Amino acid sequence: MLSSADLSEALLTGEHSGFTVSPQREPLLEDVDVVTAADPACQPLADLRSVKPEHEATGTAWATLEPRNGTAGGSVVLTSFATGEAKSWMGELKAALTTCKDLAASSQRGWSERGTLVALPSVGVGDESVSYSITSDQVPDRRQIMTVVRTGGSLAVYLTPPDEDQPPASLMERQHEKLEAAG
């Protein structure tokens, strides 16, 4: 299990694969960012954006990803879990992506969203990975891509800004290597 300090040390920084990676120190989520899926089968996907997922993290660190072309950036979130939890969550994500074609979720913060999910091919990085796009029903011409890469007992979650492709595999591979080295 890696602590938040360990994950901060393992987080990429600087220029990588056409992106500037900038570690962030403020909390990623606030206490009211508890997200619930309307369909319980889709909850593992909603948990990726929730401060209280089923699988509780033992450590967290995050960074923004800004592409060189100056378009809106994305993010990478590293989380560490107790033995077996990261692998369990990955299994649940894979199952949810075969079952859930739509995701309706709401937050205690007060927002709600509904979107269409499309499972994408694995990025071939890490011990295992899943990737999917979500297209909002409110703005059907915009989609976001989320990619989750497991390295041992940790997850790296990459979120792109709307209408951008996922980060390059070389960036995700470098982050995987740093997580592996951290233990």
Side-chain angles (χ1 to χ4, degrees):
M1 285 187 293
L2 299 175
S3 67
S4 292
D6 295 330
L7 292 172
S8 292
E9 284 292 316
L11 193 61
L12 287 177
T13 60
E15 298 288 325
H16 295 278
S17 306
F19 285 82
T20 300
V21 184
S22 303
Q24 302 297 307
R25 300 291 175 227
E26 66 274 1
L28 176 65
L29 300 170
E30 296 177 26
D31 290 343
V32 292
D33 289 317
V34 178
V35 181
T36 304
D39 178 352
C42 302
Q43 189 61 44
L45 298 164
D47 277 351
L48 289 170
R49 298 179 55 200
S50 182
V51 72
K52 294 194 188 266
E54 179 182 337
H55 301 279
E56 187 176 339
T58 60
T60 303
W62 73 287
T64 57
L65 301 174
E66 297 290 334
R68 283 192 195 132
N69 65 11
T71 61
S75 64
V76 57
V77 180
L78 304 182
T79 51
S80 178
F81 299 91
T83 303
E85 291 291 305
K87 190 171 187 165
S88 292
W89 197 349
M90 287 297 287
E92 293 164 14
L93 289 169
K94 289 175 183 178
L97 286 171
T98 63
T99 304
C100 303
K101 300 305 174 208
D102 295 301
L103 177 63
S106 60
S107 168
Q108 286 182 355
R109 177 179 289 283
W111 59 260
S112 64
E113 67 180 359
R114 179 177 292 280
T116 303
L117 294 170
V118 175
L120 301 173
S122 170
V123 293
V125 174
D127 298 329
E128 59 184 326
S129 66
V130 296
S131 190
Y132 65 93
S133 69
I134 185 164
T135 303
S136 169
D137 287 357
Q138 290 92 0
V139 188
D141 60 337
R142 300 187 85 182
R143 70 179 174 107
Q144 284 190 296
I145 296 175
M146 187 168 285
T147 301
V148 183
V149 177
R150 184 178 69 80
T151 302
S154 298
L155 299 179
V157 179
Y158 300 88
L159 179 65
T160 66
D163 299 324
E164 293 289 327
D165 291 328
Q166 64 193 20
S170 58
L171 183 143
M172 291 185 272
E173 181 63 36
R174 181 69 185 115
Q175 182 60 76
H176 166 69
E177 290 167 357
K178 285 197 75 170
L179 276 171
E180 262 188 332

